[in-house]
Amino acid sequence: MRILLKFYQSINLLNAILSFVIGLGVLFSKKLSKQIIQFSLFAFFVSLWALFYFLAFQSKDYYISAIYFRTCMIAGALILPMFTEFVFTFVGKKINPIYRWLNWGLSALIISTIYTNYYAFDGGPILVFHYWPVIGVMSFIQIILYGINVFFSHRELFKASKSSVHFLRQQAKIILFGTSLGYFGAATNFLLWFKIPFPPIFNIFIPIYVVSVAFAITKHELMDIRVAITKSVSYGMVGVLMILSFVIVNIYQLSVILSIAANSLLGLFWAFLARRAREFIQTPIEEKWIVGWYDTDKLIIEIIKLLIPVYESKEAFKILADKLIATIRIKNIHIFYAQKDKENKSVKFALSDNSCEFSANNPLVAGLKGVTKYDDLSDEIKDSTKDCKCLKNSLLIPLFSTEGLEGVLVLGPKISEDAYDEKDFILFRILMDQALMVLDRIRPYENIQKEFEANQNKLYKAEMQIEKTQRLASLGTVAAGVAHEIRNPLGILQLSIAELNPQNISNPEFIKKFKDESTQNIKRINGIIHSMLSLSKGATSEKIAINLNEIIDQTIAFFVFKKVRLAKDYSGAPKIMGNPEELKQVFINLIDNAVRAMPNGGELKIKTYIDGGESVIEVFDTGSGINKNDLPKIFDPFFSTRQDGVGLGLSIVYRIVNDHNGKIIAKSESGAGSQFTIKFPAII
Amino acid sequence: MTKPLIMVVDDEREYTEKIANVIKSVNKYEVITAYSAKSAFIQLKKHRQLFGIFNNRVRLILLDINMPDMDGLTFLEEMRRKYCGEKIGVIMVTAYEDEDKWDKATSNFVVGYITKPFDPELLLSMIDRFFSHEEAYVDMTIEVFDKHLEKMEESKTQPKT
């Protein structure tokens, strides 16, 4: 029976100290607010109550115990209205003034009578207690006050736990849990008043009550209560197992040496296993119980692995965002990218769709140093960024490189509507560090890439310029042929005009012939000039249905074959969709090459036919051929075996054939001529 | 007396006929046409007199340079070799771009160059001059040589840019 008293006393002492410490802790841990002050007062009252309770039974003197006991009830009378005040402040409701006056009034009334017989008569010993009061009138009133406060605080907390504000809801649930336990535990104090022999052992719930409420209003933002519980459960289970194992080992009366050996072995065993066992128990419980639960270490390793092959900061951000959405289950993530000017300085931050942007000296980004809740920012900053809807209720994770801010991840609320807890914050901080490393690694590549792209652009422009030059050069080679072509019809025209004389001018037959001839020849000249111009201009991309044979014939007309014998072998009419001018360029280059390969004469053979779905052109020459080593390089730009060659002819051919979805194959043997085979997809 | 025979060699049929018409129109000359070097040789062979002991009936050839198969210059060279004893005048009907080829033509004795497109009067005056007297063939050939030499001098003094 003495043990029960000791247990009871230690609960009270624990309660007194704990409540006092928590009250102080809460008071100094956060910015002072009405809620915090009210809670601290509540905690101090609880502490006082427990302290005097403890003192009342610590003293053996009957009267001193009586005074301490009654003093303890003063604190008890203050706890109830104080807690209700706190609850109302917490749920953000105004307390009904009538109720408030009633509450505090009754409380004051009780306190004023506490040392009188109106409150209670001094009673005798009961159970283990040497003093216990006998119920008086005011005690009934106190029980009524108790009932009223239980009702109101529970009602408000219950309502809040159903509220739509996710944060409040979570807190309210925790407080409701603690409050129910606490009031239930406190209620057991009343049983002895009515001579019901049940000791108020459930006072043990009161510290839980205070702790859970304190947790709810302070730590909740940082730590998920479920994490706290799973942690305590797993630690507890491992602790129990540990104690059990030692008890079992020591229950047998072993010899000293054996006992020492067994105990130290067990000690080593637990030293090795305790943490693992705890994790073994904790992890599956958390995984099952908590939505969006993740293993921080695993997640970070996964993210690092994903970031290894990344060479672009945008991509890195995207990977981070995707991974976070998938594991923490976040409703939405927005990414603000830094956009840089030429000197690599961040100029502004914007979403990828540019819907929302601010300059680099905007107070929001300028002041961003670590993971920040948007709601915690000053009103001034909020005001300057109020256009950005995505920032509302968000968490900002700045991602730095050593050069400065590279981007900001804007995390929306979780799908579960839970708040971000301490675990999340730790993760975000590690991610910031990882991002710093990755971004610093990426930066040189990005710079190189930028330079490379710029150079590529220049090179491309130069190539286009050279291609144009080459086109003009090949124009030069055909110019002689063109001149011949033009001179013939011109000559005919001139001679026709010379034929005009007074006699035949009235001859209708002659005039008709004259007209026909002239028109035809003018058309011919026009056609030649047109094809020459189109060559120099560069081609349009327009593709029409064309007969390759016609194109080749028109191309051949540009050339003057001196020593080279031309053999045409056309079978059928190979038609393709193509750009006539570009294709002319192809044949000009091929024929030009062939003719140049045969300075001492030879045969140029052009063969066309249709093979399955393909229109095929083969150009043979009996010229010097191409060296075996050079053959793979002939389509490369700037590769030339001729001294006067630019080396673009065949590369242009290759490009044009490619543009027409065609294939070109070169076969050649040094000294034995070359053969170019071009295959285009045929049309019917 | 038979009219002198002139042969026009050009692969461009229409043009050949036109030239032939121009020459015919003055009613002083007979004209035949050939559309390729090959057929020109056939014509020359046809108009041989006494196996080449007498001059060929074809007295003058208007020769185009730019022809498929065998071009005018090759034809000229070949002709001079085959018909070396025969006095056949050749007027090259050509273009300015082909001036660099004139060496070869000149060395094979031509009596003149006429550039396309040309005034028919110019052609007729050249033909008339050729047939005006016996020595015209030599005079005109020498003139061509002289002009050619002058040109060579010019190109020597003017360094190529």
Side-chain angles (χ1 to χ4, degrees):
Chain A
M1 273 303 152
R2 299 300 300 172
I3 285 179
L4 182 65
L5 187 64
K6 272 190 179 163
F7 167 71
Y8 194 68
Q9 286 294 75
S10 51
I11 289 172
N12 281 336
L13 187 60
L14 171 80
N15 194 359
I17 297 167
L18 198 68
S19 300
F20 183 71
V21 170
I22 285 177
L24 269 185
V26 169
L27 199 57
F28 290 110
S29 72
K30 288 200 107 187
K31 263 200 312 195
L32 279 183
S33 68
K34 200 173 166 192
Q35 179 184 326
I36 294 293
I37 294 170
Q38 282 171 341
F39 173 78
S40 300
L41 280 174
F42 158 73
F44 292 145
F45 289 150
V46 171
S47 175
L48 271 179
W49 173 78
L51 181 69
F52 283 104
Y53 217 147
F54 169 76
L55 290 175
F57 298 115
Q58 200 62 23
S59 168
K60 295 280 179 282
D61 189 288
Y62 181 83
Y63 290 103
I64 291 175
S65 292
I67 288 173
Y68 278 152
F69 195 92
R70 283 169 193 268
T71 313
C72 147
M73 294 324 281
I74 296 179
L78 286 170
I79 291 173
L80 298 168
M82 199 65 235
F83 186 69
T84 307
E85 287 281 344
F86 163 76
V87 166
F88 272 89
T89 315
F90 168 75
V91 299
K93 273 192 183 172
K94 273 229 161 142
I95 199 160
N96 188 332
I98 298 173
Y99 172 59
R100 173 179 276 164
W101 283 117
L102 184 70
N103 212 350
W104 286 110
L106 280 177
S107 178
L109 191 64
I110 291 163
I111 291 166
S112 65
T113 62
I114 213 127
Y115 295 109
T116 66
N117 280 346
Y118 290 111
Y119 181 71
F121 303 97
D122 291 333
I126 188 164
L127 290 177
V128 293
F129 308 108
H130 66 277
Y131 168 85
W132 200 268
V134 177
I135 195 160
V137 186
M138 293 312 277
S139 303
F140 281 109
I141 294 174
Q142 190 172 20
I143 291 169
I144 290 166
L145 181 70
Y146 182 85
I148 290 170
N149 281 298
V150 168
F151 171 72
F152 275 101
S153 18
H154 275 78
R155 195 185 69 170
E156 289 310 318
L157 285 170
F158 188 74
K159 271 190 203 163
S161 72
K162 296 276 172 216
S163 102
S164 61
V165 184
H166 68 275
F167 186 62
L168 193 67
R169 189 164 75 196
Q170 212 59 32
Q171 279 179 309
K173 276 182 189 163
I174 298 165
I175 298 178
L176 186 61
F177 165 77
T179 309
S180 310
L181 268 185
Y183 276 131
F184 171 70
T188 57
N189 283 302
F190 293 122
L191 295 172
L192 279 180
W193 294 50
F194 295 99
K195 307 285 179 203
I196 297 166
F198 185 83
I201 48 167
F202 286 113
N203 274 351
I204 196 169
F205 288 151
I206 290 170
I208 298 176
Y209 166 40
V210 178
V211 167
S212 58
V213 175
F215 174 83
I217 62 167
T218 57
K219 279 283 170 190
H220 171 77
E221 291 172 36
L222 297 177
M223 192 188 262
D224 193 325
I225 180 79
R226 291 168 304 189
V227 176
I229 291 171
T230 45
K231 257 190 187 161
S232 345
V233 167
S234 49
Y235 273 108
M237 280 173 82
V238 173
V240 166
L241 277 175
M242 243 162 150
I243 293 164
L244 259 179
S245 68
F246 279 102
V247 166
I248 290 167
V249 164
N250 290 302
I251 221 164
Y252 302 105
Q253 301 286 318
L254 297 167
S255 67
V256 180
I257 299 169
L258 259 180
S259 171
I260 290 171
N263 276 307
S264 46
L265 260 178
L266 206 58
L268 276 174
F269 172 76
W270 279 116
F272 179 71
L273 208 70
R275 198 177 67 92
R276 277 152 228 261
R278 196 259 302 160
E279 278 176 0
F280 181 75
I281 298 167
Q282 190 182 338
T283 315
I285 301 177
E286 285 187 347
E287 231 165 316
K288 282 269 149 53
W289 196 27
I290 303 171
V291 181
W293 181 87
Y294 57 89
D295 183 329
T296 312
D297 293 347
K298 267 191 200 161
L299 181 60
I300 286 168
I301 289 169
E302 271 173 42
I303 288 176
I304 290 173
K305 269 188 191 159
L306 284 175
L307 287 178
I308 286 173
V310 173
Y311 285 105
E312 220 183 320
S313 46
K314 270 195 181 182
E315 207 188 330
F317 293 158
K318 185 124 192 21
I319 286 175
L320 269 181
D322 288 349
K323 201 70 199 168
L324 287 179
I325 279 202
T327 41
I328 312 189
R329 309 280 191 87
I330 299 167
K331 277 182 183 165
N332 48 55
I333 285 192
H334 298 277
I335 310 167
F336 282 89
Y337 300 105
Q339 297 188 349
K340 297 181 167 187
D341 61 3
K342 276 173 192 163
E343 281 147 27
N344 235 349
K345 277 184 188 160
S346 304
V347 181
K348 58 176 184 177
F349 292 85
L351 294 179
S352 50
D353 58 357
N354 277 329
S355 61
C356 200
E357 61 168 66
F358 25 79
S359 65
N361 45 22
N362 184 295
L364 176 69
V365 285
L368 214 52
K369 289 283 176 287
V371 183
T372 314
K373 278 166 103 183
Y374 181 72
D375 296 334
D376 287 350
L377 293 167
S378 72
D379 290 341
E380 187 192 339
I381 293 175
K382 276 188 203 164
D383 219 38
S384 70
T385 53
K386 66 180 171 206
D387 294 339
C388 281
K389 294 241 161 55
C390 62
L391 290 173
K392 241 182 179 177
N393 292 324
S394 67
L395 191 71
L396 306 172
I397 306 178
L399 299 171
F400 293 97
S401 74
T402 42
E403 291 211 334
L405 193 59
E406 299 274 346
V408 183
L409 290 182
V410 178
L411 274 56
K414 285 185 183 180
I415 290 173
S416 61
E417 297 202 324
D418 291 340
Y420 289 102
D421 56 33
E422 199 163 52
K423 192 178 164 195
D424 297 330
F425 277 81
I426 290 170
L427 173 73
F428 298 151
R429 260 170 235 138
I430 296 172
L431 287 183
M432 274 175 68
D433 293 342
Q434 287 300 329
L436 175 80
M437 270 159 57
V438 171
L439 292 174
D440 271 0
R441 176 175 63 78
I442 287 174
R443 192 152 34 80
Y445 288 102
E446 280 192 328
N447 289 345
I448 290 170
Q449 199 182 0
K450 256 187 216 162
E451 260 170 51
F452 178 76
E453 270 165 18
N455 285 341
Q456 196 80 336
N457 230 346
K458 274 187 208 159
L459 190 66
Y460 177 73
K461 274 182 191 161
E463 248 173 45
M464 292 310 282
Q465 191 61 42
I466 292 169
E467 192 177 320
K468 204 176 157 195
T469 317
Q470 178 70 6
R471 221 183 263 279
L472 288 172
S474 64
L475 184 70
T477 56
V478 300
V482 171
H484 276 277
E485 281 296 306
I486 291 178
R487 286 222 160 81
N488 278 334
L490 270 182
I492 294 168
L493 278 175
Q494 194 172 18
L495 295 179
S496 297
I497 293 163
E499 275 174 12
L500 286 174
N501 58 42
Q503 284 87 46
N504 56 25
I505 206 143
S506 50
N507 181 350
E509 216 171 286
F510 173 83
I511 293 295
K512 190 180 176 292
K513 202 177 143 228
F514 176 76
K515 263 190 184 167
D516 286 351
E517 267 178 12
S518 309
T519 329
Q520 201 194 329
N521 282 298
I522 288 166
K523 267 187 193 161
R524 215 172 116 190
I525 295 168
N526 203 24
I528 293 161
I529 291 172
H530 178 77
S531 17
M532 193 172 72
L533 283 181
S534 57
L535 273 183
S536 66
K537 251 193 266 168
T540 55
S541 56
E542 199 184 341
K543 287 188 174 127
I544 52 169
I546 44 173
N547 184 343
L548 282 172
N549 291 349
E550 284 169 20
I551 296 286
I552 295 171
D553 280 340
Q554 285 166 19
T555 312
I556 289 170
F558 291 136
F559 283 89
V560 184
F561 297 104
K562 279 169 267 170
K563 292 173 178 161
V564 173
R565 212 164 59 76
L566 175 70
K568 291 193 276 190
D569 177 8
Y570 297 162
S571 61
K575 280 187 181 166
I576 65 163
M577 285 303 287
N579 182 306
E581 309 314 332
E582 286 204 323
L583 289 170
K584 272 182 205 168
Q585 184 73 48
V586 167
F587 298 122
I588 284 173
N589 289 355
L590 286 180
I591 294 170
D592 190 40
N593 277 353
V595 170
R596 282 171 194 271
M598 301 182 281
N600 302 314
E603 190 189 53
L604 169 65
K605 188 174 166 195
I606 299 176
K607 192 175 168 188
T608 65
Y609 56 93
I610 301 167
D611 178 24
E614 287 174 325
S615 297
V616 187
I617 309 103
E618 289 175 6
V619 180
F620 302 89
D621 68 59
T622 55
S624 50
I626 303 162
N627 197 318
K628 215 179 188 179
N629 296 334
D630 293 341
L631 198 58
K633 295 183 263 178
I634 53 170
F635 294 114
D636 295 348
F638 308 114
F639 177 80
S640 178
T641 53
R642 287 204 313 267
Q643 286 207 325
D644 60 337
V646 183
L648 274 179
L650 282 179
S651 83
I652 293 171
V653 167
Y654 188 82
R655 180 185 67 72
I656 295 172
V657 171
N658 240 358
D659 283 353
H660 285 77
N661 304 320
K663 286 174 279 182
I664 179 162
I665 303 156
K667 280 186 207 162
S668 182
E669 242 170 74
S670 198
S674 318
Q675 178 195 346
F676 287 89
T677 309
I678 306 178
K679 293 178 180 177
F680 291 115
I683 55 165
I684 303 146
Chain B
M1 191 187 160
T2 50
K3 290 173 187 168
L5 187 60
I6 298 172
M7 179 161 72
V8 183
V9 185
D10 196 323
D11 62 319
E12 183 84 15
R13 274 163 196 262
E14 205 181 343
Y15 198 35
T16 316
E17 293 306 328
K18 280 277 170 202
I19 297 172
N21 283 344
V22 167
I23 302 169
K24 272 179 198 163
S25 66
V26 293
N27 265 326
K28 287 196 271 186
Y29 313 104
E30 232 178 278
V31 185
I32 54 169
T33 54
Y35 302 129
S36 69
K38 210 174 157 189
S39 64
F41 275 125
I42 294 170
Q43 292 282 8
L44 278 177
K45 204 171 176 180
K46 214 166 99 186
H47 291 96
R48 262 181 152 180
Q49 288 177 328
L50 270 178
F51 311 105
I53 296 169
F54 290 107
N55 271 343
N56 201 309
R57 272 208 60 215
V58 178
R59 298 280 304 281
L60 182 65
I61 300 175
L62 302 184
L63 184 60
D64 180 32
I65 287 188
N66 182 20
M67 284 188 296
D69 288 351
M70 184 189 282
D71 69 17
L73 294 172
T74 322
F75 168 81
L76 180 62
E77 218 172 4
E78 199 112 311
M79 187 200 78
R80 288 295 182 218
R81 216 174 48 239
K82 276 187 179 166
Y83 299 88
C84 58
E86 292 167 53
K87 218 165 86 179
I88 304 170
V90 175
I91 293 176
M92 299 304 291
V93 182
T94 176
Y96 279 121
E97 301 85 48
D98 293 334
E99 257 180 277
D100 51 339
K101 295 171 186 163
W102 287 7
D103 304 0
K104 207 172 166 187
T106 309
S107 60
N108 281 308
F109 308 114
V110 295
V111 293
Y113 291 95
I114 190 157
T115 48
K116 287 180 187 175
F118 52 82
D119 183 358
E121 294 300 324
L122 182 69
L123 179 69
L124 285 175
S125 71
M126 273 176 90
I127 294 172
D128 283 344
R129 188 177 165 210
F130 180 79
F131 289 108
S132 59
H133 57 284
E134 281 295 307
E135 305 305 316
Y137 175 81
V138 180
D139 290 349
M140 286 168 82
T141 307
I142 290 169
E143 260 171 48
V144 168
F145 266 101
D146 283 346
K147 261 190 197 165
H148 190 73
L149 288 174
E150 257 172 52
K151 218 176 212 161
M152 278 171 75
E153 285 295 316
E154 264 176 43
S155 62
K156 261 183 199 170
T157 48
Q158 284 174 3
K160 275 181 190 170
T161 47

